[in-house]
Amino acid sequence: MNELELKKVCKIYEGTVSYQALDDIDFTVKSGEFVGVMGPSGSGKSTLLNVISTNDFPTSGQVLLLNQDLHRLSEDSLAQFRRSNLGFVFQDFNLMDSLTIRENILLPLALEGTRFSAMKQALQEIAMQLRLTEILERFPFEISGGQAQRVAIARAIIHRPSLLLADEPTGNLDSRSSHDVLSVLEQMNQDFGVTILMVTHDPIVASHCHRVIFIKDGRIYNEMYRGEKQQDF
Ligand code: ADP
Ligand code: ADP
Protein backbone atom coordinates (compact mmCIF):
# COMPACT_ATOMS: atom_id res chain seq x y z
CA MET A 1 0.00 0.00 0.00
CA ASN A 2 1.09 3.57 -0.57
CA GLU A 3 1.58 5.42 2.65
CA LEU A 4 2.26 8.73 1.02
CA GLU A 5 2.03 9.99 -2.51
CA LEU A 6 2.96 13.40 -3.86
CA LYS A 7 1.68 14.29 -7.31
CA LYS A 8 3.14 17.26 -9.11
CA VAL A 9 3.47 19.27 -5.92
CA CYS A 10 4.52 22.88 -6.36
CA LYS A 11 4.97 25.51 -3.70
CA ILE A 12 5.44 29.14 -4.58
CA TYR A 13 5.99 31.66 -1.81
CA GLU A 14 4.40 34.90 -2.94
CA GLY A 15 6.00 38.15 -1.85
CA THR A 16 7.61 41.18 -3.38
CA VAL A 17 9.58 38.54 -5.21
CA SER A 18 7.85 35.18 -5.58
CA TYR A 19 9.95 32.11 -4.99
CA GLN A 20 9.31 28.57 -6.14
CA ALA A 21 10.41 26.37 -3.26
CA LEU A 22 8.97 23.10 -4.66
CA ASP A 23 8.87 22.41 -8.37
CA ASP A 24 6.78 19.48 -9.58
CA ILE A 25 7.62 17.02 -6.82
CA ASP A 26 6.43 13.49 -7.55
CA PHE A 27 7.19 10.60 -5.25
CA THR A 28 5.65 7.69 -3.44
CA VAL A 29 6.50 6.17 -0.09
CA LYS A 30 5.21 2.66 0.52
CA SER A 31 3.91 1.52 3.88
CA GLY A 32 6.79 0.30 6.01
CA GLU A 33 9.53 2.16 4.12
CA PHE A 34 12.22 4.23 5.86
CA VAL A 35 13.02 7.05 3.44
CA GLY A 36 15.63 9.78 3.79
CA VAL A 37 15.55 13.24 2.21
CA MET A 38 18.85 15.02 1.62
CA GLY A 39 19.71 18.30 -0.03
CA PRO A 40 21.61 21.52 0.53
CA SER A 41 20.30 24.29 2.75
CA GLY A 42 17.47 26.16 1.03
CA SER A 43 16.65 23.24 -1.31
CA GLY A 44 13.08 22.91 -0.02
CA LYS A 45 13.31 20.14 2.60
CA SER A 46 11.39 21.97 5.33
CA THR A 47 8.82 23.18 2.81
CA LEU A 48 8.35 19.57 1.70
CA LEU A 49 7.78 18.36 5.27
CA ASN A 50 5.45 21.29 5.96
CA VAL A 51 3.34 20.48 2.92
CA ILE A 52 3.17 16.80 3.91
CA SER A 53 2.36 17.63 7.54
CA THR A 54 -0.33 20.07 6.26
CA ASN A 55 1.32 22.88 8.18
CA ASP A 56 1.41 24.62 4.83
CA PHE A 57 -0.52 24.30 1.56
CA PRO A 58 0.97 23.40 -1.80
CA THR A 59 0.30 25.98 -4.51
CA SER A 60 -0.70 23.11 -6.80
CA GLY A 61 -0.56 19.34 -6.88
CA GLN A 62 -1.78 16.69 -4.47
CA VAL A 63 -0.56 15.16 -1.22
CA LEU A 64 -2.17 11.79 -0.51
CA LEU A 65 -1.69 10.13 2.86
CA LEU A 66 -3.15 6.61 2.96
CA ASN A 67 -4.96 7.53 -0.28
CA GLN A 68 -6.66 10.55 1.31
CA ASP A 69 -6.12 13.91 -0.33
CA LEU A 70 -5.10 15.82 2.78
CA HIS A 71 -5.60 19.29 1.48
CA ARG A 72 -9.21 18.52 0.53
CA LEU A 73 -10.36 17.34 3.95
CA SER A 74 -12.43 19.69 6.07
CA GLU A 75 -10.57 21.36 8.93
CA ASP A 76 -12.08 19.03 11.52
CA SER A 77 -11.45 15.80 9.66
CA LEU A 78 -7.96 16.96 8.82
CA ALA A 79 -7.14 17.63 12.48
CA GLN A 80 -8.51 14.21 13.39
CA PHE A 81 -6.71 12.46 10.52
CA ARG A 82 -3.44 14.17 11.42
CA ARG A 83 -3.75 13.32 15.10
CA SER A 84 -4.27 9.65 14.41
CA ASN A 85 -1.95 9.10 11.47
CA LEU A 86 1.03 11.43 11.77
CA GLY A 87 3.86 11.80 14.25
CA PHE A 88 6.57 14.49 14.25
CA VAL A 89 10.13 14.57 15.53
CA PHE A 90 12.32 17.68 15.29
CA GLN A 91 15.93 18.58 15.71
CA ASP A 92 15.33 20.53 18.91
CA PHE A 93 13.27 17.87 20.76
CA ASN A 94 10.52 20.39 21.73
CA LEU A 95 9.97 18.92 25.22
CA MET A 96 8.05 20.91 27.85
CA ASP A 97 10.54 21.96 30.53
CA SER A 98 8.08 22.06 33.40
CA LEU A 99 6.73 18.56 32.78
CA THR A 100 8.38 15.26 33.70
CA ILE A 101 9.40 12.82 31.00
CA ARG A 102 6.31 10.72 31.79
CA GLU A 103 4.05 13.77 31.41
CA ASN A 104 5.77 14.86 28.22
CA ILE A 105 5.19 11.47 26.61
CA LEU A 106 1.58 11.22 27.78
CA LEU A 107 0.56 14.75 26.85
CA PRO A 108 -0.78 13.91 23.36
CA LEU A 109 -2.88 11.05 24.74
CA ALA A 110 -4.10 13.09 27.69
CA LEU A 111 -5.19 15.86 25.33
CA GLU A 112 -7.23 13.34 23.38
CA GLY A 113 -8.94 12.17 26.56
CA THR A 114 -7.49 8.64 26.49
CA ARG A 115 -8.42 6.56 29.56
CA PHE A 116 -5.81 6.40 32.31
CA SER A 117 -5.44 2.60 32.18
CA ALA A 118 -4.85 2.64 28.42
CA MET A 119 -2.29 5.45 28.80
CA LYS A 120 -0.45 3.54 31.49
CA GLN A 121 -0.10 0.48 29.32
CA ALA A 122 0.97 2.40 26.23
CA LEU A 123 3.57 4.24 28.31
CA GLN A 124 4.98 1.07 29.83
CA GLU A 125 5.45 -0.53 26.44
CA ILE A 126 7.02 2.43 24.78
CA ALA A 127 9.28 3.26 27.73
CA MET A 128 10.61 -0.27 27.71
CA GLN A 129 11.24 -0.28 23.98
CA LEU A 130 12.97 3.09 24.01
CA ARG A 131 14.85 2.43 27.27
CA LEU A 132 13.21 5.29 29.16
CA THR A 133 11.85 3.41 32.16
CA GLU A 134 14.57 4.73 34.51
CA ILE A 135 14.10 8.38 33.63
CA LEU A 136 10.31 8.78 33.55
CA GLU A 137 10.19 10.90 36.72
CA ARG A 138 13.00 13.24 35.65
CA PHE A 139 12.64 16.63 34.00
CA PRO A 140 14.04 17.44 30.54
CA PHE A 141 17.02 19.38 31.99
CA GLU A 142 18.07 16.25 33.88
CA ILE A 143 18.57 14.04 30.82
CA SER A 144 21.02 13.87 27.89
CA GLY A 145 20.32 14.99 24.33
CA GLY A 146 20.11 11.41 23.10
CA GLN A 147 17.64 10.58 25.85
CA ALA A 148 15.64 13.74 25.07
CA GLN A 149 15.32 12.68 21.43
CA ARG A 150 14.22 9.18 22.48
CA VAL A 151 11.55 10.86 24.64
CA ALA A 152 10.47 12.97 21.65
CA ILE A 153 10.21 9.81 19.54
CA ALA A 154 8.17 8.09 22.27
CA ARG A 155 5.81 11.08 22.36
CA ALA A 156 5.55 11.12 18.58
CA ILE A 157 4.60 7.47 18.24
CA ILE A 158 2.70 6.62 21.42
CA HIS A 159 -0.57 6.99 19.51
CA ARG A 160 0.79 4.58 16.87
CA PRO A 161 0.76 6.85 13.81
CA SER A 162 1.38 5.16 10.48
CA LEU A 163 3.80 7.86 9.29
CA LEU A 164 6.55 9.52 11.29
CA LEU A 165 8.02 12.74 9.86
CA ALA A 166 11.47 13.52 11.23
CA ASP A 167 13.29 16.80 10.52
CA GLU A 168 17.02 16.41 11.27
CA PRO A 169 16.32 14.21 14.31
CA THR A 170 20.05 13.74 14.95
CA GLY A 171 21.05 17.32 14.08
CA ASN A 172 21.84 18.31 17.67
CA LEU A 173 23.39 15.05 18.79
CA ASP A 174 26.93 13.73 19.04
CA SER A 175 27.71 10.68 16.94
CA ARG A 176 27.08 8.19 19.71
CA SER A 177 23.63 9.59 20.55
CA SER A 178 22.86 9.90 16.83
CA HIS A 179 23.58 6.25 16.41
CA ASP A 180 21.39 5.44 19.38
CA VAL A 181 18.46 7.51 18.06
CA LEU A 182 18.84 5.92 14.64
CA SER A 183 18.67 2.42 16.07
CA VAL A 184 15.49 3.39 17.85
CA LEU A 185 13.98 4.72 14.60
CA GLU A 186 15.02 1.54 12.78
CA GLN A 187 13.47 -0.55 15.53
CA MET A 188 10.19 1.40 15.34
CA ASN A 189 10.21 0.92 11.59
CA GLN A 190 10.94 -2.82 11.74
CA ASP A 191 8.99 -3.86 14.82
CA PHE A 192 5.98 -1.53 14.67
CA GLY A 193 5.91 -1.02 10.92
CA VAL A 194 5.98 2.78 11.30
CA THR A 195 6.75 4.37 7.92
CA ILE A 196 9.44 7.03 8.32
CA LEU A 197 10.32 10.05 6.21
CA MET A 198 13.45 11.69 7.58
CA VAL A 199 15.29 14.82 6.50
CA THR A 200 19.00 14.69 7.27
CA HIS A 201 22.26 16.37 6.31
CA ASP A 202 24.32 13.48 7.53
CA PRO A 203 25.29 10.81 4.95
CA ILE A 204 25.98 8.28 7.71
CA VAL A 205 22.49 8.80 9.10
CA ALA A 206 21.01 8.61 5.58
CA SER A 207 22.84 5.35 4.90
CA HIS A 208 20.45 3.65 7.35
CA CYS A 209 17.44 4.47 5.17
CA HIS A 210 16.00 2.01 2.65
CA ARG A 211 15.98 4.77 0.08
CA VAL A 212 17.22 8.35 -0.10
CA ILE A 213 15.69 11.14 -2.16
CA PHE A 214 18.00 14.02 -3.06
CA ILE A 215 16.49 17.43 -3.64
CA LYS A 216 17.98 20.62 -4.98
CA ASP A 217 16.27 23.88 -5.97
CA GLY A 218 12.91 22.32 -5.10
CA ARG A 219 13.32 19.36 -7.47
CA ILE A 220 14.15 15.71 -6.96
CA TYR A 221 17.39 15.17 -8.84
CA ASN A 222 18.37 11.73 -7.65
CA GLU A 223 17.13 8.75 -5.74
CA MET A 224 19.10 5.89 -4.27
CA TYR A 225 18.32 2.54 -2.78
CA ARG A 226 20.43 1.05 0.01
CA GLY A 227 23.23 -1.00 -1.40
CA GLU A 228 23.65 1.06 -4.57
CA LYS A 229 26.96 2.76 -4.97
CA GLN A 230 27.14 6.35 -5.99
CA GLN A 231 29.51 9.26 -5.82
CA ASP A 232 27.58 11.82 -3.80
CA PHE A 233 26.55 9.37 -1.15
P1 ADP B 1 15.59 23.68 3.47
O1 ADP B 1 14.70 23.12 4.55
O2 ADP B 1 16.04 22.67 2.48
O3 ADP B 1 16.72 24.47 4.04
P2 ADP B 1 13.34 25.44 2.94
O4 ADP B 1 12.20 24.59 2.55
O5 ADP B 1 13.37 25.99 4.32
O6 ADP B 1 14.72 24.69 2.60
O7 ADP B 1 13.41 26.65 1.94
C1 ADP B 1 13.41 26.53 0.51
C2 ADP B 1 13.44 27.90 -0.12
O8 ADP B 1 12.21 28.58 0.12
C3 ADP B 1 14.54 28.78 0.47
O9 ADP B 1 15.10 29.52 -0.60
C4 ADP B 1 13.81 29.69 1.41
O10 ADP B 1 14.44 30.93 1.49
C5 ADP B 1 12.44 29.82 0.77
N1 ADP B 1 11.39 29.99 1.79
C6 ADP B 1 11.12 29.17 2.83
N2 ADP B 1 10.08 29.63 3.54
C7 ADP B 1 9.68 30.78 2.96
C8 ADP B 1 8.63 31.74 3.20
N3 ADP B 1 7.79 31.58 4.22
N4 ADP B 1 8.53 32.80 2.36
C9 ADP B 1 9.38 32.94 1.31
N5 ADP B 1 10.37 32.09 1.01
C10 ADP B 1 10.51 31.02 1.81
P1 ADP C 1 15.29 23.51 10.16
O1 ADP C 1 14.71 22.59 9.13
O2 ADP C 1 15.70 24.83 9.58
O3 ADP C 1 16.35 22.89 11.01
P2 ADP C 1 13.35 23.09 12.34
O4 ADP C 1 13.87 21.70 12.43
O5 ADP C 1 13.34 23.92 13.56
O6 ADP C 1 14.08 23.92 11.17
O7 ADP C 1 11.87 23.04 11.80
C1 ADP C 1 11.62 22.44 10.58
C2 ADP C 1 10.23 22.77 10.10
O8 ADP C 1 9.24 22.06 10.84
C3 ADP C 1 9.92 24.25 10.21
O9 ADP C 1 9.64 24.74 8.93
C4 ADP C 1 8.70 24.33 11.11
O10 ADP C 1 7.73 25.21 10.58
C5 ADP C 1 8.14 22.91 11.11
N1 ADP C 1 7.51 22.58 12.40
C6 ADP C 1 7.87 23.02 13.62
N2 ADP C 1 7.05 22.54 14.56
C7 ADP C 1 6.12 21.77 13.91
C8 ADP C 1 4.99 20.98 14.34
N3 ADP C 1 4.63 20.91 15.61
N4 ADP C 1 4.29 20.30 13.40
C9 ADP C 1 4.66 20.35 12.11
N5 ADP C 1 5.69 21.08 11.66
C10 ADP C 1 6.42 21.79 12.54
Short mmCIF file of all heavy atoms in Angstrom, two decimals, residues 79-121:
data_model
loop_
_atom_site.label_atom_id
_atom_site.label_comp_id
_atom_site.label_asym_id
_atom_site.label_seq_id
_atom_site.Cartn_x
_atom_site.Cartn_y
_atom_site.Cartn_z
N ALA A 79 -7.74 17.63 11.14
CA ALA A 79 -7.14 17.63 12.48
C ALA A 79 -7.18 16.22 13.07
O ALA A 79 -6.19 15.72 13.60
CB ALA A 79 -7.87 18.61 13.39
N GLN A 80 -8.32 15.57 12.89
CA GLN A 80 -8.51 14.21 13.39
C GLN A 80 -7.58 13.23 12.67
O GLN A 80 -6.89 12.42 13.31
CB GLN A 80 -9.98 13.82 13.17
CG GLN A 80 -10.33 12.40 13.55
CD GLN A 80 -10.11 12.16 15.03
OE1 GLN A 80 -10.42 13.02 15.85
NE2 GLN A 80 -9.54 11.02 15.37
N PHE A 81 -7.52 13.35 11.36
CA PHE A 81 -6.71 12.46 10.52
C PHE A 81 -5.23 12.61 10.87
O PHE A 81 -4.49 11.64 10.99
CB PHE A 81 -6.95 12.80 9.05
CG PHE A 81 -6.40 11.80 8.10
CD1 PHE A 81 -7.06 10.60 7.90
CD2 PHE A 81 -5.23 12.04 7.41
CE1 PHE A 81 -6.55 9.65 7.01
CE2 PHE A 81 -4.71 11.10 6.53
CZ PHE A 81 -5.38 9.90 6.33
N ARG A 82 -4.81 13.86 11.06
CA ARG A 82 -3.44 14.17 11.42
C ARG A 82 -3.08 13.61 12.78
O ARG A 82 -2.03 13.00 12.95
CB ARG A 82 -3.38 15.70 11.51
CG ARG A 82 -2.23 16.36 10.89
CD ARG A 82 -2.46 17.84 11.02
NE ARG A 82 -1.53 18.34 12.01
CZ ARG A 82 -0.58 19.23 11.72
NH1 ARG A 82 -0.48 19.74 10.52
NH2 ARG A 82 0.25 19.62 12.64
N ARG A 83 -4.00 13.82 13.74
CA ARG A 83 -3.75 13.32 15.10
C ARG A 83 -3.58 11.81 15.11
O ARG A 83 -2.76 11.28 15.82
CB ARG A 83 -4.90 13.70 16.04
CG ARG A 83 -4.66 14.99 16.78
CD ARG A 83 -5.54 15.09 18.02
NE ARG A 83 -6.96 14.92 17.75
CZ ARG A 83 -7.76 15.91 17.38
NH1 ARG A 83 -7.28 17.12 17.26
NH2 ARG A 83 -9.02 15.69 17.14
N SER A 84 -4.41 11.10 14.32
CA SER A 84 -4.27 9.65 14.41
C SER A 84 -3.22 9.05 13.49
O SER A 84 -2.73 7.98 13.78
CB SER A 84 -5.63 8.95 14.22
OG SER A 84 -6.38 9.60 13.27
N ASN A 85 -2.85 9.74 12.43
CA ASN A 85 -1.95 9.10 11.47
C ASN A 85 -0.53 9.64 11.38
O ASN A 85 0.33 9.02 10.78
CB ASN A 85 -2.57 9.14 10.07
CG ASN A 85 -3.82 8.30 9.99
OD1 ASN A 85 -3.79 7.12 10.27
ND2 ASN A 85 -4.94 8.93 9.68
N LEU A 86 -0.30 10.83 11.93
CA LEU A 86 1.03 11.43 11.77
C LEU A 86 1.72 11.63 13.10
O LEU A 86 1.08 11.95 14.11
CB LEU A 86 0.89 12.82 11.13
CG LEU A 86 0.63 12.92 9.63
CD1 LEU A 86 0.48 14.38 9.23
CD2 LEU A 86 1.77 12.29 8.86
N GLY A 87 3.04 11.45 13.09
CA GLY A 87 3.86 11.80 14.25
C GLY A 87 5.00 12.68 13.77
O GLY A 87 5.43 12.55 12.62
N PHE A 88 5.48 13.58 14.63
CA PHE A 88 6.57 14.49 14.25
C PHE A 88 7.72 14.42 15.24
O PHE A 88 7.50 14.39 16.44
CB PHE A 88 6.10 15.95 14.27
CG PHE A 88 4.90 16.21 13.44
CD1 PHE A 88 3.64 16.24 14.01
CD2 PHE A 88 5.03 16.43 12.07
CE1 PHE A 88 2.52 16.47 13.24
CE2 PHE A 88 3.91 16.66 11.30
CZ PHE A 88 2.66 16.68 11.88
N VAL A 89 8.94 14.44 14.68
CA VAL A 89 10.13 14.57 15.53
C VAL A 89 11.00 15.66 14.93
O VAL A 89 11.19 15.69 13.72
CB VAL A 89 10.93 13.25 15.58
CG1 VAL A 89 12.18 13.42 16.43
CG2 VAL A 89 10.09 12.12 16.14
N PHE A 90 11.51 16.56 15.78
CA PHE A 90 12.32 17.68 15.29
C PHE A 90 13.71 17.65 15.88
O PHE A 90 13.97 16.96 16.87
CB PHE A 90 11.63 19.01 15.63
CG PHE A 90 10.27 19.08 15.03
CD1 PHE A 90 9.14 18.82 15.79
CD2 PHE A 90 10.11 19.34 13.69
CE1 PHE A 90 7.89 18.83 15.22
CE2 PHE A 90 8.86 19.35 13.10
CZ PHE A 90 7.75 19.11 13.88
N GLN A 91 14.55 18.46 15.27
CA GLN A 91 15.93 18.58 15.71
C GLN A 91 16.04 19.01 17.18
O GLN A 91 16.88 18.53 17.90
CB GLN A 91 16.56 19.66 14.81
CG GLN A 91 18.00 19.89 15.02
CD GLN A 91 18.53 20.77 13.90
OE1 GLN A 91 17.88 21.02 12.90
NE2 GLN A 91 19.74 21.23 14.08
N ASP A 92 15.16 19.95 17.57
CA ASP A 92 15.33 20.53 18.91
C ASP A 92 14.42 19.91 19.97
O ASP A 92 14.10 20.54 20.96
CB ASP A 92 15.18 22.05 18.85
CG ASP A 92 13.93 22.43 18.08
OD1 ASP A 92 13.15 21.52 17.72
OD2 ASP A 92 13.73 23.63 17.83
N PHE A 93 14.01 18.68 19.79
CA PHE A 93 13.27 17.87 20.76
C PHE A 93 11.88 18.43 21.14
O PHE A 93 10.93 17.69 21.28
CB PHE A 93 14.06 17.59 22.05
CG PHE A 93 15.54 17.34 21.85
CD1 PHE A 93 16.50 17.97 22.65
CD2 PHE A 93 15.99 16.50 20.84
CE1 PHE A 93 17.85 17.75 22.45
CE2 PHE A 93 17.34 16.27 20.63
CZ PHE A 93 18.28 16.90 21.45
N ASN A 94 11.80 19.76 21.36
CA ASN A 94 10.52 20.39 21.73
C ASN A 94 9.84 19.76 22.94
O ASN A 94 8.63 19.56 22.94
CB ASN A 94 9.53 20.33 20.56
CG ASN A 94 9.87 21.32 19.48
OD1 ASN A 94 10.48 22.35 19.77
ND2 ASN A 94 9.49 21.04 18.25
N LEU A 95 10.61 19.44 24.00
CA LEU A 95 9.97 18.92 25.22
C LEU A 95 9.53 20.09 26.10
O LEU A 95 10.09 21.19 26.01
CB LEU A 95 10.95 18.03 26.00
CG LEU A 95 11.49 16.83 25.24
CD1 LEU A 95 12.44 16.02 26.13
CD2 LEU A 95 10.36 15.95 24.72
N MET A 96 8.52 19.86 26.94
CA MET A 96 8.05 20.91 27.85
C MET A 96 8.89 20.83 29.12
O MET A 96 8.86 19.84 29.84
CB MET A 96 6.59 20.70 28.21
CG MET A 96 5.69 20.47 27.01
SD MET A 96 5.02 22.00 26.41
CE MET A 96 3.61 22.14 27.48
N ASP A 97 9.59 21.95 29.41
CA ASP A 97 10.54 21.96 30.53
C ASP A 97 9.92 21.70 31.90
O ASP A 97 10.56 21.18 32.79
CB ASP A 97 11.24 23.32 30.61
CG ASP A 97 12.12 23.55 29.39
OD1 ASP A 97 12.51 22.55 28.76
OD2 ASP A 97 12.39 24.73 29.07
N SER A 98 8.67 22.14 32.06
CA SER A 98 8.08 22.06 33.40
C SER A 98 7.37 20.73 33.62
O SER A 98 6.80 20.50 34.68
CB SER A 98 7.10 23.21 33.58
OG SER A 98 6.11 23.11 32.57
N LEU A 99 7.38 19.87 32.62
CA LEU A 99 6.73 18.56 32.78
C LEU A 99 7.78 17.46 32.90
O LEU A 99 8.86 17.58 32.30
CB LEU A 99 5.84 18.25 31.58
CG LEU A 99 4.68 19.20 31.28
CD1 LEU A 99 3.89 18.70 30.07
CD2 LEU A 99 3.75 19.34 32.48
N THR A 100 7.45 16.40 33.63
CA THR A 100 8.38 15.26 33.70
C THR A 100 8.38 14.54 32.36
O THR A 100 7.53 14.80 31.50
CB THR A 100 7.94 14.24 34.78
OG1 THR A 100 6.67 13.70 34.39
CG2 THR A 100 7.85 14.88 36.15
N ILE A 101 9.32 13.61 32.22
CA ILE A 101 9.40 12.82 31.00
C ILE A 101 8.09 12.05 30.79
O ILE A 101 7.53 12.03 29.70
CB ILE A 101 10.61 11.85 31.07
CG1 ILE A 101 11.91 12.64 31.22
CG2 ILE A 101 10.65 10.93 29.85
CD1 ILE A 101 12.09 13.81 30.29
N ARG A 102 7.59 11.45 31.88
CA ARG A 102 6.31 10.72 31.79
C ARG A 102 5.20 11.64 31.25
O ARG A 102 4.49 11.29 30.31
CB ARG A 102 5.92 10.21 33.19
CG ARG A 102 4.53 9.57 33.24
CD ARG A 102 4.03 9.44 34.69
NE ARG A 102 4.96 8.68 35.51
CZ ARG A 102 5.00 7.36 35.55
NH1 ARG A 102 4.15 6.65 34.84
NH2 ARG A 102 5.87 6.73 36.31
N GLU A 103 5.12 12.85 31.82
CA GLU A 103 4.05 13.77 31.41
C GLU A 103 4.24 14.24 29.97
O GLU A 103 3.28 14.38 29.22
CB GLU A 103 4.00 14.97 32.36
CG GLU A 103 3.53 14.58 33.75
CD GLU A 103 3.88 15.62 34.83
OE1 GLU A 103 4.76 16.49 34.59
OE2 GLU A 103 3.29 15.52 35.92
N ASN A 104 5.51 14.46 29.60
CA ASN A 104 5.77 14.86 28.22
C ASN A 104 5.28 13.81 27.23
O ASN A 104 4.67 14.13 26.22
CB ASN A 104 7.28 15.08 28.02
CG ASN A 104 7.69 16.52 28.17
OD1 ASN A 104 7.45 17.35 27.29
ND2 ASN A 104 8.29 16.85 29.30
N ILE A 105 5.57 12.54 27.54
CA ILE A 105 5.19 11.47 26.61
C ILE A 105 3.67 11.31 26.56
O ILE A 105 3.09 11.07 25.50
CB ILE A 105 5.86 10.13 27.01
CG1 ILE A 105 7.38 10.27 26.95
CG2 ILE A 105 5.39 9.00 26.09
CD1 ILE A 105 8.13 9.05 27.47
N LEU A 106 3.04 11.47 27.73
CA LEU A 106 1.58 11.22 27.78
C LEU A 106 0.73 12.39 27.30
O LEU A 106 -0.46 12.23 27.05
CB LEU A 106 1.17 10.83 29.20
CG LEU A 106 1.62 9.44 29.63
CD1 LEU A 106 1.18 9.17 31.05
CD2 LEU A 106 1.08 8.37 28.69
N LEU A 107 1.35 13.56 27.19
CA LEU A 107 0.56 14.75 26.85
C LEU A 107 -0.37 14.58 25.64
O LEU A 107 -1.56 14.90 25.75
CB LEU A 107 1.50 15.96 26.68
CG LEU A 107 0.84 17.32 26.66
CD1 LEU A 107 0.10 17.59 27.97
CD2 LEU A 107 1.88 18.41 26.43
N PRO A 108 0.13 14.04 24.52
CA PRO A 108 -0.78 13.91 23.36
C PRO A 108 -1.98 13.02 23.66
O PRO A 108 -3.10 13.32 23.23
CB PRO A 108 0.08 13.28 22.27
CG PRO A 108 1.47 13.26 22.75
CD PRO A 108 1.50 13.58 24.20
N LEU A 109 -1.76 11.94 24.42
CA LEU A 109 -2.88 11.05 24.74
C LEU A 109 -3.83 11.72 25.71
O LEU A 109 -5.06 11.62 25.57
CB LEU A 109 -2.38 9.74 25.35
CG LEU A 109 -1.61 8.79 24.44
CD1 LEU A 109 -1.32 7.49 25.16
CD2 LEU A 109 -2.40 8.51 23.18
N ALA A 110 -3.26 12.42 26.70
CA ALA A 110 -4.10 13.09 27.69
C ALA A 110 -4.99 14.12 27.02
O ALA A 110 -6.17 14.25 27.33
CB ALA A 110 -3.22 13.74 28.76
N LEU A 111 -4.42 14.84 26.04
CA LEU A 111 -5.19 15.86 25.33
C LEU A 111 -6.34 15.26 24.55
O LEU A 111 -7.36 15.91 24.31
CB LEU A 111 -4.28 16.65 24.39
CG LEU A 111 -3.27 17.56 25.05
CD1 LEU A 111 -2.35 18.20 24.02
CD2 LEU A 111 -3.96 18.65 25.88
N GLU A 112 -6.16 14.00 24.13
CA GLU A 112 -7.23 13.34 23.38
C GLU A 112 -8.24 12.68 24.29
O GLU A 112 -9.20 12.07 23.82
CB GLU A 112 -6.64 12.25 22.47
CG GLU A 112 -6.11 12.79 21.18
CD GLU A 112 -5.59 11.66 20.32
OE1 GLU A 112 -6.30 10.66 20.13
OE2 GLU A 112 -4.45 11.80 19.86
N GLY A 113 -7.99 12.74 25.61
CA GLY A 113 -8.94 12.17 26.56
C GLY A 113 -8.86 10.65 26.66
O GLY A 113 -9.84 9.98 26.99
N THR A 114 -7.67 10.09 26.37
CA THR A 114 -7.49 8.64 26.49
C THR A 114 -7.64 8.20 27.96
O THR A 114 -7.22 8.92 28.86
CB THR A 114 -6.08 8.25 26.00
OG1 THR A 114 -5.89 8.82 24.72
CG2 THR A 114 -5.89 6.74 25.93
N ARG A 115 -8.23 7.04 28.19
CA ARG A 115 -8.42 6.56 29.56
C ARG A 115 -7.08 6.29 30.24
O ARG A 115 -6.13 5.87 29.62
CB ARG A 115 -9.25 5.26 29.57
CG ARG A 115 -10.71 5.48 29.27
CD ARG A 115 -11.56 4.31 29.78
NE ARG A 115 -10.82 3.04 29.85
CZ ARG A 115 -10.65 2.23 28.81
NH1 ARG A 115 -11.14 2.56 27.62
NH2 ARG A 115 -9.98 1.10 28.95
N PHE A 116 -7.05 6.52 31.56
CA PHE A 116 -5.81 6.40 32.31
C PHE A 116 -5.17 5.01 32.18
O PHE A 116 -3.97 4.88 31.98
CB PHE A 116 -6.06 6.73 33.79
CG PHE A 116 -4.83 6.67 34.63
CD1 PHE A 116 -3.84 7.65 34.51
CD2 PHE A 116 -4.62 5.63 35.52
CE1 PHE A 116 -2.69 7.60 35.27
CE2 PHE A 116 -3.46 5.56 36.28
CZ PHE A 116 -2.49 6.54 36.15
N SER A 117 -6.00 3.96 32.24
CA SER A 117 -5.44 2.60 32.18
C SER A 117 -4.79 2.33 30.82
O SER A 117 -3.73 1.71 30.74
CB SER A 117 -6.53 1.56 32.46
OG SER A 117 -7.59 1.76 31.55
N ALA A 118 -5.40 2.83 29.76
CA ALA A 118 -4.85 2.64 28.42
C ALA A 118 -3.54 3.42 28.29
O ALA A 118 -2.58 2.95 27.68
CB ALA A 118 -5.85 3.10 27.37
N MET A 119 -3.50 4.64 28.88
CA MET A 119 -2.29 5.45 28.80
C MET A 119 -1.14 4.76 29.51
O MET A 119 -0.01 4.74 29.05
CB MET A 119 -2.50 6.81 29.46
CG MET A 119 -3.45 7.71 28.70
SD MET A 119 -3.13 9.46 28.99
CE MET A 119 -3.55 9.68 30.68
N LYS A 120 -1.48 4.17 30.68
CA LYS A 120 -0.45 3.54 31.49
C LYS A 120 0.20 2.39 30.72
O LYS A 120 1.41 2.24 30.71
CB LYS A 120 -1.11 3.01 32.77
CG LYS A 120 -0.18 2.99 33.95
CD LYS A 120 -0.94 2.66 35.21
CE LYS A 120 -0.06 1.76 36.06
NZ LYS A 120 -0.77 1.23 37.22
N GLN A 121 -0.63 1.62 30.06
CA GLN A 121 -0.10 0.48 29.32
C GLN A 121 0.74 0.91 28.12
O GLN A 121 1.83 0.38 27.89
CB GLN A 121 -1.23 -0.42 28.86
CG GLN A 121 -0.63 -1.69 28.31
CD GLN A 121 -1.69 -2.68 27.87
OE1 GLN A 121 -2.88 -2.45 28.07
NE2 GLN A 121 -1.25 -3.76 27.27
#
